[in-house]
Amino acid sequence: MNYQSTRDRSAKVSAARAIVQGISHEGGLFVPETLPVLTPEELEGLVGLSYNEKAKAVLSRFLTDFTPDEIAHCVDGAYNTRSFDTHDIAEISKVGERSYFLELWHGPTCAFKDMALQLLPYLMKVSMDKEAPGTEVVVLVATSGDTGKAALAGFADVPGTRMLVFYPENGVSGMQKLQMVTQEGENVSVCAIKGNFDDAQSGVKAIFTDPSIEAELRKNGQMFSSANSINWGRLVPQIVYYVAAYTALVEQEEIAFGDTVNVCVPTGNFGNILAAYYAKRMGVPIGRLICASNRNNVLTDFIRTGVYDRNRDFYTTTSPSMDILISSNLERLLFHLSGEDDGLIRRWFASLAETGRYAVSPDVQEKLQAEFWGGFCDDQAAAEAIHGQFDRYGYLCDPHTAVAVKVFEDYVRETGDDTRTIIASTASPYKFCGSVLPAVTREPVPEDPFAQMELLHRVSGMAPPASLAGLKGKPVRFTGSIEKGQMADKVKEMLR
Ligand SMILES: *Cc1c(COP(=O)(O)O)cnc(C)c1O
């Protein structure tokens, strides 16, 4: 099975090529040429298997140029109890009658990005050996907070790779920043920019397609790749956990095989919710996909009106990983919903680049609304949701997951839909003590992040993850910040 670009269907590559390259030359994103389907019998056959066996079954459908041994090597290297603090890899917590938190943050950096970024270095290594043996891969990352650390943790000291992470100087939580600037590893580097996540992401995309940098790379025997969710190798591991969660609910006798479940996802770059859409297209009985945004509600408006318009104020919120106005992965969805019309996608995304907006055709809007429901909430409503979950159920959730909780409540109130729902829980509350703690206690909190951690432990009884507690006293390796216009220079400096 080949992959094609959303902006040029004739640009076809293997899965390995899509993974090493990250993005197509004309700026489009790679998507599978045909979406693989699990028959009901095949899906039911996964019930009772381990996470890793489910992962192998799903990945083998998408990575058809990988051998079963290669897939097993990647999966077992990534998902194990050395890196994850639970045998289940992704845990499910039932809270209330009909909602299930899919906890995707039991990996080394305590956010769902680990689910993909623990696996990606393995996929990248196998892909490089197939497509460009002997070449050093230079991975550039733009992060709104969680991707950066997860990518660093995945790629640190991986032979044949180098990594540079850009993050918005004032756009990440104190703990997120500390996680990144203390990262060890000879081959990794971290750089703050004076700008927001969209600036970082646009800067990285421009560097990828800069011919002068490309020439320098070739001279050095290097090539660029991406660890952002524009890379197919980031998305495909995320499809796995929706398949795994559905079959796990059957195992736990919460649903009967064949029952429909809804999925609610706190959304930024549209990667996580798109993975749920792909799981649905593969045959998992998923009903509505509920897209939850924070105050940067460009996606809510888009789902409701069919007009994507990023010409609006950008807000810094307590859910920084969702502070995004350009949701890259929407391009993949629109490619599928438009009947794979690469010409239309080129037009819409040229319009986005030039004017900051595009309007989709009525038939695409109709299909979008048939699959997705969009809602949003502000920081105060998210804090209330954290308080409410803890008060009622003793369950602690982080501010991103809290946005999903609030939007899910709104969805149920508006539609009366009582379908059982998987809520993607995307980060450990301990990554965001500064906003979780006051939401729970409604009292002022100490300044020091480790004092916050201790207090949250005392109040909640939930133990802090060892990887976060262990940051205390670690030396800071990366300081200072650059103007967003200097990103290309920073990259050239690293290449030398
Ligand atoms: C990245 C992230 C999100 C948003 O996920 P997308 O795939 O970008 O939509 C939500 N919550 C947390 C904690 C994240 O790190």
Side-chain angles (χ1 to χ4, degrees):
M1 185 180 72
N2 278 323
Y3 287 72
Q4 56 187 347
S5 166
T6 51
R7 298 190 194 178
D8 178 4
R9 290 187 62 184
S10 69
K12 292 196 198 302
V13 297
S14 66
R17 186 74 214 170
I19 290 169
V20 298
Q21 210 172 300
I23 188 167
S24 188
H25 289 300
E26 76 301 318
L29 305 183
F30 290 118
V31 295
E33 215 174 12
T34 44
L35 289 175
V37 169
L38 293 169
T39 64
E41 294 70 33
E42 287 168 335
L43 183 61
E44 196 166 15
L46 300 181
V47 173
L49 300 188
S50 68
Y51 189 88
N52 288 22
E53 295 313 309
K54 292 175 186 176
K56 289 167 199 171
V58 173
L59 292 174
S60 64
R61 302 306 178 97
F62 286 99
L63 310 177
T64 51
D65 49 340
F66 284 47
T67 66
D69 279 352
E70 284 168 342
I71 288 179
H73 164 76
C74 293
V75 167
D76 294 332
Y79 303 127
N80 53 63
T81 49
R82 290 188 304 282
S83 309
F84 286 76
D85 67 9
T86 164
H87 274 284
D88 295 344
I89 306 299
E91 261 183 33
I92 297 178
S93 288
K94 183 177 186 182
V95 174
E97 273 307 298
R98 323 189 78 77
S99 44
Y100 303 87
F101 285 92
L102 176 59
E103 296 177 354
L104 302 169
W105 41 263
H106 290 281
T109 77
C110 311
F112 90 87
K113 305 296 197 292
D114 287 327
M115 300 302 296
L117 282 162
Q118 283 296 302
L119 185 66
L120 184 63
Y122 289 95
L123 299 180
M124 189 77 86
K125 176 78 175 67
V126 172
S127 300
M128 287 299 286
D129 288 347
K130 289 182 192 296
E131 289 292 321
T135 309
E136 183 181 54
V137 61
V138 178
V139 184
L140 296 186
V141 180
T143 184
S144 56
D146 289 326
T147 296
K149 178 61 184 185
L152 291 163
F155 280 90
D157 292 326
V158 172
T161 69
R162 251 192 241 205
M163 171 169 282
L164 178 55
V165 172
F166 292 104
Y167 72 93
E169 186 174 28
N170 298 316
V172 303
S173 83
M175 190 56 76
Q176 288 177 316
K177 179 169 178 176
L178 202 58
Q179 282 185 300
M180 287 191 279
V181 297
T182 57
Q183 176 66 43
E184 291 164 10
E186 282 310 305
N187 62 333
V188 299
S189 191
V190 175
C191 180
I193 66 157
K194 298 187 205 307
N196 60 35
F197 170 73
D198 290 317
D199 296 323
Q201 178 163 256
S202 304
V204 164
K205 274 196 189 163
I207 293 167
F208 275 138
T209 45
D210 179 329
S212 75
I213 301 184
E214 168 102 48
E216 188 161 336
L217 282 172
R218 215 168 310 117
K219 203 177 66 201
N220 298 346
Q222 297 167 318
M223 69 181 288
F224 274 141
S225 192
S226 167
N228 282 101
S229 54
I230 54 174
N231 192 322
W232 181 255
R234 262 289 297 277
L235 268 182
V236 69
Q238 297 183 222
I239 301 171
V240 171
Y241 53 69
Y242 290 108
V243 177
Y246 183 84
T247 47
L249 288 177
V250 177
E251 287 156 21
Q252 295 167 16
E253 299 182 354
E254 293 292 339
I255 57 172
F257 184 80
D259 287 354
T260 297
V261 297
N262 289 343
V263 174
C264 179
V265 184
T267 303
N269 225 351
F270 210 77
N272 201 358
I273 196 166
L274 182 69
Y277 169 80
Y278 281 129
K280 179 175 180 177
R281 294 280 307 264
M282 279 191 90
V284 179
I286 292 174
R288 223 14 124 71
L289 296 155
I290 302 162
C291 176
S293 300
N294 66 22
R295 208 175 160 206
N296 295 296
N297 59 354
V298 62
L299 286 168
T300 315
D301 290 346
F302 177 63
I303 292 168
R304 291 183 182 177
T305 66
V307 176
Y308 194 95
D309 190 350
R310 61 160 302 208
N311 300 303
R312 58 178 74 210
D313 290 336
F314 177 90
Y315 301 106
T316 300
T317 73
T318 52
S319 43
S321 297
M322 295 154 68
D323 291 345
I324 291 176
L325 292 180
I326 306 177
S327 296
S328 295
N329 275 296
L330 201 53
E331 180 166 343
R332 286 188 164 107
L333 177 70
L334 295 177
F335 180 75
H336 296 302
L337 295 185
S338 69
E340 311 202 335
D341 189 337
D342 52 358
L344 255 185
I345 299 297
R346 272 201 307 278
R347 267 214 311 286
W348 290 341
F349 284 82
S351 165
L352 180 68
E354 282 155 28
T355 67
R357 82 192 280 285
Y358 59 87
V360 298
S361 45
D363 69 308
V364 168
Q365 188 189 348
E366 203 175 295
K367 286 184 198 151
L368 179 70
Q369 289 177 346
E371 301 278 357
F372 292 86
W373 191 90
F376 74 101
C377 76
D378 64 12
D379 284 353
Q380 199 187 334
E384 284 303 318
I386 293 173
H387 188 89
Q389 291 294 301
F390 188 69
D391 217 34
R392 250 175 290 156
Y393 307 112
Y395 188 76
L396 205 55
C397 63
D398 94 289
H400 302 75
T401 309
V403 168
V405 169
K406 173 66 169 89
V407 168
F408 173 58
E409 287 169 2
D410 292 346
Y411 169 78
V412 171
R413 194 170 340 99
E414 253 184 58
T415 62
D417 184 354
D418 65 355
T419 307
R420 288 166 196 277
T421 299
I422 294 171
I423 297 176
S425 174
T426 50
S428 160
Y430 276 97
K431 268 192 115 155
F432 304 95
C433 291
S435 33
V436 171
L437 196 51
V440 171
T441 65
R442 294 188 165 149
E443 278 168 24
V445 298
E447 277 283 313
D448 176 62
F450 298 99
Q452 292 174 358
M453 208 182 270
E454 266 170 45
L455 190 54
L456 189 57
H457 186 183
R458 227 174 24 245
V459 171
S460 69
M462 173 188 180
S467 61
L468 298 183
L471 292 174
K472 193 170 182 171
K474 255 190 139 182
V476 170
R477 286 183 67 203
F478 306 101
T479 54
S481 62
I482 62 168
E483 298 294 335
K484 58 190 180 194
Q486 296 175 318
M487 288 171 63
D489 294 334
K490 184 79 188 174
V491 170
K492 286 180 186 157
E493 191 183 300
M494 177 190 66
L495 296 181
R496 263 178 245 125

